[in-house]
Amino acid sequence: MTTHIKPELISFDLCPFVQRSVITLIEKDVEFDVTYIDLANKPQWFLDISPLGKVPTLRIGDRVLFESAVINEYLDEVNPPSFHPADPLEKAHNRSWIEVGSNQIMNAFRMMIAQTEPDYETHRKATIAGFRQVEYLVQGPFFNGPKFSLVDAAWAPLFARLALLERALGEDYLPGYSNLRVWADRLVKRESVIHSVPENFGEKFLNYLKAKTYQGNTPGYVAQRLAEAS
Ligand SMILES: N[C@@H](CCC(=O)N[C@@H](CS)C(=O)NCC(=O)O)C(=O)O
């Protein structure tokens, strides 16, 4: 049994994948320690324990777990009741949609760091197209209906970031997706989601995007628009 050991989350405070695990830790009422690292300058002890060099990394005693979906599955198993549906087919289906959530985080990230307007448009369209199927799947108010699930924990960080950017730029990243809008709004307002990031997260996140440059000098397209908007 490892459940009595307090886990240590190795984190970067702007990372959406880390946030997935923090949401699950909070939802499951698990006490944990956090160690922040600088991803631009990863400490050697981190590289020594993390073969992929990515956060989140969860250390439990001398065991080290990585990959947000795997970490969340572990947290779910050792802290019942499960956030997964009991039926194996439904559970696997939920896992598939957690993976789609990861893909959407990356589509949106490419959009946020696009260098030029056409580049931004390409990734904006890809992000919006990537929402098409889930619009018809989400049961509301959460992915599976009334019960919060690991799919909700996996998608909430994406919706939180898109909501911040929508407000800053006057964009709509869920155009015509009424079910998704209900789901996203519900998740962004959930206590565990709000408390899964530092208090000044919105400001920090937008400042991070504002500072995004190419080859160290040219501001990215979103960075330029944020500068114009402020
Ligand atoms: N598939 C991974 C993705 C994690 C990930 O990409 N984390 C980023 C920060 S948001 C990272 O650690 N990047 C460092 C690097 O790639 O060097 C997961 O779900 O945990």
Side-chain angles (χ1 to χ4, degrees):
M1 282 290 280
T2 51
T3 47
H4 61 285
I5 302 173
K6 195 173 177 187
E8 176 196 6
L9 182 72
I10 302 154
S11 172
F12 174 68
D13 58 3
L14 294 178
C15 175
F17 298 100
V18 167
Q19 195 185 353
R20 288 172 152 189
S21 294
V22 179
I23 292 168
T24 307
L25 286 158
I26 295 174
E27 289 280 351
K28 295 274 180 182
D29 212 8
V30 175
E31 265 191 62
F32 62 102
D33 292 319
V34 183
T35 303
Y36 292 102
I37 59 162
D38 178 2
L39 286 179
N41 188 14
K42 296 175 192 165
Q44 190 55 47
W45 64 261
F46 173 69
L47 294 172
D48 289 343
I49 62 165
S50 166
L52 303 177
K54 289 182 183 175
V55 292
T57 296
L58 192 72
R59 184 150 52 176
I60 300 145
D62 55 11
R63 257 301 177 235
V64 178
L65 305 178
F66 25 84
E67 287 297 314
S68 58
V70 175
I71 291 170
N72 283 3
E73 293 279 345
Y74 165 75
L75 292 171
D76 191 56
E77 269 193 71
V78 297
N79 297 285
S82 176
F83 286 168
H84 266 318
D87 178 76
L89 182 58
E90 291 311 309
K91 195 187 291 189
H93 182 252
N94 273 226
R95 288 176 173 142
S96 299
W97 284 90
I98 288 169
E99 188 53 30
V100 179
S102 300
N103 202 51
Q104 281 297 84
I105 288 175
M106 293 316 294
N107 277 335
F109 184 63
R110 287 184 203 108
M111 173 185 83
M112 290 172 196
I113 63 161
Q115 182 161 18
T116 61
E117 183 168 4
D119 198 17
Y120 168 82
E121 273 307 310
T122 301
H123 295 300
R124 188 182 66 85
K125 285 186 184 140
T127 304
I128 290 171
F131 284 134
R132 197 173 50 80
Q133 282 167 298
V134 73
E135 164 69 8
Y136 299 103
L137 272 178
V138 63
Q139 293 184 34
F142 299 115
F143 183 76
N144 294 312
K147 254 187 87 194
F148 185 87
S149 72
L150 290 186
V151 183
D152 300 295
W155 284 70
L158 169 66
F159 292 138
R161 282 157 184 74
L162 288 180
L164 285 167
L165 206 56
E166 283 184 329
R167 226 170 305 143
L169 300 182
E171 289 271 15
D172 179 358
Y173 295 119
L174 304 176
Y177 293 143
S178 53
N179 299 331
L180 269 179
R181 181 60 72 187
V182 171
W183 186 33
D185 285 353
R186 181 68 177 251
L187 287 180
V188 167
K189 289 193 190 112
R190 193 164 169 94
E191 285 292 305
S192 64
V193 176
I194 293 170
H195 295 298
S196 59
V197 288
E199 255 175 45
N200 60 347
F201 174 77
E203 193 187 333
K204 254 189 126 168
F205 173 69
L206 293 175
N207 282 341
Y208 163 81
L209 291 182
K210 239 188 251 180
K212 270 277 165 209
T213 59
Y214 287 85
Q215 279 94 41
N217 47 38
T218 319
Y221 176 71
V222 167
Q224 287 172 40
R225 281 197 43 197
L226 286 172
E228 283 160 19
S230 60

